[in-house]
Amino acid sequence: MTTSAQTHQGPLQVAPHSQALTTSATLAMNETVAAKRAAGHTVIHLGFGEAPFPLHPLLKTALDEAATHTSYAPVQGIAPLRRAIADYLSRTRSLSLSAEGVIVAPGSKPLLYALLQVLDGDLLLPVPSWVSYAPQAHMAGKQVLPVDTSPEDHHRLTPDTLADAFSRAKQAGANPRLLLVNMPSNPTGSMLDRADVEAMTTWAREQGITIISDEIYAELAHGWHPHTSPAIFYPEGAIITGGLSKAFSAGGWRLGYAALPAGAAGRQVMAAVRAVASDIWSSATTPVQEAAAVAYSPNAELEQYVQRSARLHGHVTGRLYATLVSLGVRCPRPAGAFYLYPDFAPWRSALAARGIHTSADLARTLLEEWDIATLPGSEFCEQPEALRLRLATSLLHAEDHLSSQERAATLWGLLEQADTLPAEHPAAGTPLKLPMLEQAQVRLSEFVASLGEPR
């Protein structure tokens, strides 16, 4: 007979399947940097990607005017916003979508999770990939099936690499039915060529694979490489997600969308996602939805704002990329967003002599000894011994010590100067005065110089 003492447990017992969960690496790094700065350190913050520009006044006005609209919105989102998003994707990406196929939520993150919950099968995930994809898939009860890519090929995704991962997954007893891609990529900043996107979608159609295309950075292409959505070639099998956070510098508004294929299958998936939404987040914030409808409607001022933002991100990221390349660091050329993914493998021996054997060791050393915040490649599904780091350049536009008013004035001034930069190669223009970027260039140069010649 079991005694009460043997069966009794205290309160607040964490479920076994939740014990391995950790805080998102990007958010954790942001908090670490804040603590170091509060302690008096001058940290070069390359560990957190957040679009930094001031909110456009048209969106502020729209939010102010909708502030008293406090009723719950429909679970799928208000009709004017869903129509505006469908029209926006038609205008900007040559896609044919309807408002009925669009759902909005408090950020695209919950929509990605909802899709992983309702879609059948296990997840093919390119390596490297954003830090939250694999944890979300695990929470949804799916196996994560890595699709290995090569740094020598700039982490390009090809039908051969997909077929190899698919075959290995099937042999291991998995059920690969989903492929999640992110273009431009976080962490590499790269994009697939149009031919590669078409080849990927042809392969997916042949295998019956659903593609989830996270296009949150699509508007921030740097100019020399156009963005191509998989839905152009695979409208019946590609789901697009996006949101306000990057192009409109409104991450804190938490407004994302998913656009699903037309037809009976798309409607079935939409019904399932709506059901998840109704039981978890009910609806996105009503005033933010009304302001977002303005963001996605045709407007020359807002379009100029987004174009200028993209050009500035291309300028800053391209300049830091040029610095890394000049130091002999291998790095994919960024085509969009605000990320770089340098590889320090040529200095493996010099790093090992300092006790640095993994990307986590490397990131820790840079933060503790050089006050440079980065994220290790291991957070992006890489093997620990791969000596790659993700650098985010989005916080290098304005100095940390500025007041909020000074920061806003500086950033508006930079947006106006963006028109002086070459549209196709913004990093090739006359260098803008950017003290934080220059500090990052100097400090990274000093670190690489301390390692000696690569081998």
Side-chain angles (χ1 to χ4, degrees):
M1 182 174 178
T2 304
T3 67
S4 60
Q6 291 174 312
T7 60
H8 176 74
Q9 291 182 320
L12 304 180
Q13 296 293 315
V14 176
H17 69 273
S18 297
Q19 291 177 2
L21 297 178
T22 59
T23 301
S24 165
T26 53
L27 299 177
M29 176 54 73
N30 204 39
E31 293 172 2
T32 299
V33 170
K36 282 185 72 70
R37 285 176 171 169
H41 292 259
T42 302
V43 181
I44 302 298
H45 197 352
L46 305 176
F48 189 66
E50 179 178 26
F53 299 110
L55 185 70
H56 195 282
L58 287 174
L59 300 187
K60 181 181 184 304
T61 298
L63 185 66
D64 289 344
E65 292 176 350
T68 58
H69 300 176
T70 56
S71 296
Y72 284 103
V75 171
Q76 194 168 335
I78 62 174
L81 173 56
R82 291 188 290 108
R83 284 195 299 268
I85 291 171
D87 291 345
Y88 176 83
L89 293 174
S90 173
R91 245 179 10 258
T92 61
R93 294 177 218 175
S94 303
L95 302 177
S96 179
L97 298 165
S98 70
E100 289 69 31
V102 174
I103 182 170
V104 299
S108 59
K109 223 173 182 180
L111 284 167
L112 288 165
Y113 180 64
L115 289 165
L116 292 171
Q117 279 283 356
V118 306
L119 290 167
D120 185 40
D122 295 315
L123 179 67
L124 292 162
L125 188 63
V127 177
S129 281
W130 180 50
V131 298
S132 289
Y133 295 146
Q136 285 198 357
H138 289 310
M139 286 188 283
K142 298 187 182 302
Q143 291 189 57
V144 175
L145 313 168
V147 182
D148 295 324
T149 64
S150 169
E152 285 73 24
D153 197 23
H154 303 292
H155 301 284
R156 181 166 157 254
L157 197 61
T158 68
D160 287 342
T161 58
L162 289 164
D164 180 63
F166 183 85
S167 176
R168 284 187 283 107
K170 296 287 280 188
Q171 291 173 6
N175 180 26
R177 296 290 309 279
L178 308 172
L179 170 64
L180 206 170
V181 294
N182 177 210
M183 295 183 294
S185 163
N186 178 0
T188 68
S190 59
M191 291 194 282
L192 294 180
D193 291 334
R194 185 179 179 90
D196 285 339
V197 175
E198 186 172 12
M200 176 183 67
T201 56
T202 298
W203 177 85
R205 181 182 286 111
E206 291 171 351
Q207 302 299 334
I209 300 288
T210 299
I211 295 176
I212 302 174
S213 182
D214 181 358
E215 302 182 13
I216 192 72
Y217 298 100
E219 293 88 349
L220 299 184
H222 295 171
W224 66 273
H225 191 311
H227 172 266
T228 303
S229 173
I232 291 175
F233 304 107
Y234 193 26
E236 76 277 19
I239 298 171
I240 298 168
T241 63
L244 288 178
S245 61
K246 312 305 179 186
F248 296 95
S249 294
W253 278 19
R254 308 309 305 134
L255 193 288
Y257 65 79
L260 278 61
R267 289 192 294 272
Q268 187 176 15
V269 174
M270 177 63 79
V273 172
R274 266 202 323 262
V276 172
S278 69
D279 284 326
I280 297 180
W281 64 79
S282 297
S283 64
T285 306
T286 304
V288 170
Q289 288 196 56
E290 298 200 24
V294 174
Y296 288 115
S297 297
N299 183 284
E301 286 187 51
L302 289 171
E303 289 163 11
Q304 181 188 57
Y305 170 88
V306 172
Q307 290 167 1
R308 286 174 166 178
S309 297
R311 203 170 293 183
L312 281 174
H313 286 305
H315 181 75
V316 173
T317 307
R319 282 174 60 183
L320 192 56
Y321 165 77
T323 296
L324 291 168
V325 170
S326 73
L327 296 169
V329 181
R330 298 186 309 204
C331 183
R333 183 184 176 189
F338 31 74
Y339 300 112
L340 295 166
Y341 200 60
D343 188 350
F344 292 87
W347 289 274
R348 186 175 296 278
S349 296
L351 291 168
R354 301 183 186 187
I356 299 170
H357 303 281
T358 66
S359 61
D361 293 338
L362 180 55
R364 188 181 311 111
T365 298
L366 282 170
L367 183 60
E368 293 177 354
E369 299 181 15
W370 295 84
D371 279 336
I372 303 172
T374 65
L375 283 184
S378 54
E379 295 290 352
F380 298 87
C381 301
E382 292 266 29
Q383 292 299 312
E385 62 273 13
L387 293 173
R388 291 185 275 275
L389 301 173
R390 194 207 67 178
L391 314 183
T393 64
S394 57
L395 300 181
L396 298 179
H397 295 83
E399 295 174 89
D400 300 322
H401 62 79
L402 299 178
S403 67
S404 58
Q405 293 86 353
E406 291 170 333
R407 177 179 296 274
T410 296
L411 293 172
W412 278 120
L414 288 173
L415 286 167
E416 291 180 2
Q417 293 179 67
D419 292 338
T420 68
L421 302 172
E424 294 186 2
H425 299 284
T430 302
L432 301 180
K433 185 170 178 54
L434 296 161
M436 292 299 295
L437 170 61
E438 293 160 9
Q439 288 181 40
Q441 291 172 309
V442 168
R443 207 170 295 180
L444 282 169
S445 297
E446 291 172 346
F447 168 69
V448 174
S450 77
L451 300 176
E453 293 296 318
R455 296 181 182 178

